[in-house]
Amino acid sequence: MMKLGKKDILGIRDMSVDEINTILETAESFLEVSTRDIKKVPTLRGKSVINLFYEASTRTRTSFEIAGKRLSADTINISASTSSVVKGETLIDTARNLEAMNPDIIVIRHSAAGAPHLLASLLKQSIINAGDGAHEHPSQALLDMMTIKKKKGRISGLKIALVGDILHSRVARSNIFGLSKMGADVVVAGPATMMPRDIEQMGVRAYTKIEDAIKDADVIMMLRIQLERQKQNIFPSLREYAHHYCLNTRNLKLAKEDVIVMHPGPTNRGVEISPDVADDPKHSVILDQVTNGVAVRMALLYLLTGGNE
Amino acid sequence: MTEKKNLKIVMDAEGIERCLTRIAYEILEKNKGMDNLVLVGIRTGGIFLAQRLQKKISAIEGQTIPLGLLDITLYRDDIAKKKQKAPLGKTDIPFDLTDKKVILVDDVLFTGRTIRAAMDALIDFGRPKMIQLAVLIDRGHRELPIRADYIGKNLPSSLWEAVSVHLLEKNGKDEVVIEEEN
C-alpha cells in the first residue's frame, strides 16, 4: 500500500525521496488514461477541486483542470481578475468563504511566497501549491523529474544544468531541491544579478557563463526570462541577454550528444532559447513536459483525496 | 501483519495446470473457436493466469489470441474512502474492444466487486459484444449479482478464511492455499 504522509503539497523541500518516487510511479500509470478514447475514470466522482489563481497562468491552470476532470472531480476555476479580490477581499476571507462551500482540494497560485502555507494552516482542505512568488512550484518540478526519468531512465548521477534567472524562479528552486534529493549533479548559470547570493548553500555549482554549465550536461533546463523584470534594471536589454545566455544549436554542441532540452514555458523564442532548439525533436522535450504535467497532477489529486482509513 | 493459522493447500501445481487446460478448452467450445475472442487479465493475479490461458488457447488453435491487462484500482467503489492507496498498475489493452468477445480472467471470485469495477472499465474502452468471466477459484460470498462462466474450482469458504492463489510468476510456486485469519 502507498500513502502520502501529508495533507498538502506545499513544496519539494519538505518532501522525501520516497514520497517523490510514489508520486512519479503513480503518475506513470495515469499517463495511459490520457491516451484512451474516453479519457476519464470515475475515481474522484463527487469530489471538488477549486483552482484559485491570483496570477496569470495557462499551462498550470489548464493542466490541473484537465487532471481533475479526467478523474471525474468537479473543477472550479477562480482567477483573481474576475473575483471579489478586485473588490478588496483578503486572501484569508476568500479562503474562509471557499472552505464554507466544502471543496476537497484547493489549488492555489499566488504572487506572495507562503500564501499556500497560510491556507494550509487555516483550512482543513488539502492545499496544492501551484506556484507562490519566487518560492516553490512543486508540481512543475515533479513533472520535470518525471520527464527526465522517462527519457533518461534515471535521475541519479545525471548532470543537469539550469540556466537563466535563478533568483526569481520558483521552478528553479523546486527543481534544485528535488533533483539534488534524487541524486543528480545540479549546476546553474545566469547573470550575477539573477543569481541568489549563497546559491552554493543549496548544494549546486554556479557559473556566470552558460557554456561552463552546459558542458557535458545530460539535461539542460532553460528558464523563462521574465520580461517584466527588465524594468528593475536587472539586465540591460533582451538582445544582450540573448547574446550571452540563449541556448542555440552552436552552444548545444557542448552538451552530451543525447542531451535533452527542457523549458517550463512559456518560452521567449530567440531570448533564452532559439526556435530551432525549442523545436528540435532530437533534443527538445518541452511538449513531453506538458503531457507529463497532466499525469503528475492527476497523481497528486488522487493521492491527496480519501478518508482517514 | 495479521497472524494466519491452519494453512491448508487446496490445489497444487498440477491441479492448477489441469484446471487451466480444461478452462482453455471450455472457452473455445462455448465460443466455437476464437473468432473475435480476446483475453483480459485483471491485475495482479489475473494477468498471469490470462497469460497462461493465452499460451494454451494459442497452442490449440494455432494462432495467437490477443491479451490485454487491466488495473481496476481507479474504478474501485471504496477508493474515495481510503487514504491508503494500492499501488496503481498500468492498464494495457492494445486493441479495440468494440464487438469483441472478452474473456475476463481473475484468480479468485469473492464479493464480485472487482468484477463490477472491471466491467465498468472495459465498457469505457469500447462496446464489447459480450463479456465472460473465467476464474481459478470461486469462493462464494457474492455481494453483487455476478457469476463466473468458467470456474477452476468451487471452494466453499468461511468469511474469516483467506484464500490465496500463489503463482510461479509472483510467488515462486504454484498452489492455492486457504488459511484462517485471526
Side-chain angles (χ1 to χ4, degrees):
Chain A
M1 296 304 248
M2 48 209 245
K3 181 180 175 178
L4 277 189
K6 331 182 126 32
K7 172 171 95 62
D8 313 291
I9 303 288
L10 299 177
I12 301 290
R13 188 180 197 166
D14 59 359
M15 222 178 250
S16 70
V17 171
D18 278 351
E19 284 174 323
I20 292 173
N21 279 326
T22 297
I23 295 167
L24 297 188
E25 279 158 27
T26 307
E28 189 75 25
S29 295
F30 276 119
L31 262 187
E32 177 265 328
V33 176
S34 296
T35 65
R36 297 181 189 176
D37 264 356
I38 297 180
K39 299 172 188 55
K40 205 176 182 73
V41 289
T43 317
L44 298 187
R45 208 175 41 185
K47 302 276 178 191
S48 28
V49 179
I50 293 183
N51 292 323
L52 180 58
F53 276 65
Y54 284 85
E55 271 188 355
S57 165
T58 318
R59 222 169 324 271
T60 307
R61 189 180 53 75
T62 311
S63 184
F64 268 110
E65 187 179 356
I66 288 180
K69 290 199 152 104
R70 292 204 174 148
L71 289 170
S72 300
D74 296 310
T75 54
I76 299 102
N77 296 321
I78 302 173
S79 55
S81 55
T82 58
S83 71
S84 47
V85 174
V86 291
K87 300 180 187 167
E89 190 173 51
T90 66
L91 172 62
I92 293 177
D93 279 338
T94 304
R96 288 269 187 233
N97 278 280
L98 294 177
E99 180 183 36
M101 298 183 215
N102 272 322
D104 298 279
I105 295 181
I106 297 175
V107 179
I108 178 176
R109 167 170 288 189
H110 201 285
S111 56
H117 305 66
L118 176 69
L119 292 200
S121 65
L122 286 172
L123 309 184
K124 60 177 188 291
Q125 280 83 12
S126 289
I127 308 294
I128 298 179
N129 179 0
D132 60 330
H135 180 221
E136 281 232 42
H137 191 350
S139 62
Q140 176 71 41
L142 288 164
L143 75 87
D144 289 338
M145 288 190 264
M146 178 177 178
T147 307
I148 295 170
K149 219 173 166 180
K150 276 187 76 66
K151 291 286 169 189
K152 295 282 172 193
R154 67 196 165 106
I155 296 175
S156 180
L158 296 180
K159 180 177 177 185
I160 302 179
L162 278 69
V163 181
D165 185 355
I166 310 290
L167 180 64
H168 299 98
S169 172
R170 52 197 177 207
V171 175
R173 286 176 61 87
S174 287
N175 264 306
I176 291 171
F177 288 134
L179 295 169
S180 310
K181 270 180 220 252
M182 302 302 278
D185 173 24
V186 184
V187 300
V188 297
T193 48
M194 297 181 182
M195 189 64 71
R197 266 188 303 170
D198 307 329
I199 179 78
E200 275 92 3
Q201 286 188 359
M202 289 183 82
V204 302
R205 279 172 289 138
Y207 299 98
T208 44
K209 284 190 165 166
I210 182 173
E211 290 81 8
D212 295 332
I214 65 176
K215 189 169 183 303
D216 296 324
D218 297 283
V219 179
I220 301 173
M221 207 180 277
M222 298 306 294
L223 300 167
R224 183 175 77 93
I225 192 77
Q226 298 169 342
L227 301 177
E228 55 275 20
R229 304 267 172 219
Q230 198 179 353
K231 294 190 202 97
Q232 303 170 8
N233 294 326
I234 284 175
F235 58 99
S237 73
L238 284 178
R239 204 168 144 216
E240 184 171 335
Y241 182 85
H243 180 68
H244 289 290
Y245 291 101
C246 184
L247 184 68
N248 51 43
T249 46
R250 188 170 33 83
N251 54 24
L252 188 61
K253 289 198 182 81
L254 294 168
K256 289 214 178 116
E257 211 190 321
D258 61 348
V259 65
I260 56 169
V261 174
M262 307 174 74
H263 193 297
T267 50
N268 298 308
R269 284 168 175 266
V271 181
E272 68 262 1
I273 189 164
S274 73
D276 41 358
V277 172
D279 299 333
D280 179 357
K282 198 164 150 252
H283 300 292
S284 171
V285 296
I286 295 174
L287 295 177
D288 298 77
Q289 289 173 271
V290 180
T291 304
N292 294 339
V294 174
V296 156
R297 287 162 181 132
M298 287 172 83
L300 292 178
L301 296 175
Y302 169 72
L303 290 167
L304 282 182
T305 48
N308 297 317
E309 279 174 47
Chain B
M1 278 296 278
T2 51
E3 216 177 292
K4 306 266 179 73
K5 57 180 184 183
N6 290 338
L7 188 135
K8 201 167 76 188
I9 296 171
V10 289
M11 200 190 278
D12 59 9
E14 283 182 353
I16 292 176
E17 186 64 19
R18 283 193 201 105
C19 277
L20 290 174
T21 306
R22 173 172 53 78
I23 289 173
Y25 278 105
E26 280 178 1
I27 289 171
L28 288 170
E29 184 187 7
K30 181 164 177 168
N31 294 288
K32 301 184 176 66
M34 55 172 275
D35 282 352
N36 280 325
L37 210 58
V38 299
L39 294 168
V40 173
I42 300 175
R43 275 186 190 276
T44 53
I47 60 173
F48 303 117
L49 295 173
Q51 283 163 352
R52 294 190 196 184
L53 282 174
Q54 181 190 35
K55 273 196 204 119
K56 289 184 185 294
I57 292 174
S58 306
I60 298 165
E61 292 292 297
Q63 53 176 317
T64 310
I65 180 168
L67 170 67
L69 311 177
L70 184 63
D71 185 286
I72 56 104
T73 311
L74 298 172
Y75 286 82
R76 286 173 66 118
D77 55 10
D78 56 357
I79 195 134
K81 292 185 194 72
K82 290 188 174 165
K83 189 89 193 173
Q84 290 272 343
K85 302 267 161 60
L88 197 58
K90 272 184 214 155
T91 292
D92 181 19
I93 300 183
F95 42 81
D96 185 8
L97 286 180
T98 305
D99 293 332
K100 294 288 191 309
K101 293 189 248 178
V102 180
I103 313 290
L104 204 53
V105 183
D106 204 2
D107 49 3
V108 181
L109 177 58
F110 185 21
T111 61
R113 287 181 192 265
T114 299
I115 306 304
R116 194 284 307 164
M119 288 194 291
D120 275 358
L122 285 182
I123 286 163
D124 275 357
F125 275 93
R127 186 179 183 280
K129 187 173 166 61
M130 61 167 67
I131 300 176
Q132 299 170 6
L133 175 62
V135 297
L136 185 63
I137 301 292
D138 181 352
R139 62 168 294 191
H141 304 290
R142 218 74 77 236
E143 293 169 4
L144 295 171
I146 281 169
R147 58 158 182 79
D149 300 272
Y150 314 97
I151 300 168
K153 185 181 173 68
N154 277 300
L155 190 65
S157 62
S158 307
L159 277 174
W160 54 85
E161 286 171 324
V163 176
S164 332
V165 174
H166 296 161
L167 295 173
L168 209 58
E169 295 90 332
K170 61 170 180 168
N171 312 92
K173 194 176 182 185
D174 274 355
E175 62 181 14
V176 180
V177 299
I178 185 163
E179 47 206 329
E180 246 174 69
E181 264 177 348
N182 274 342

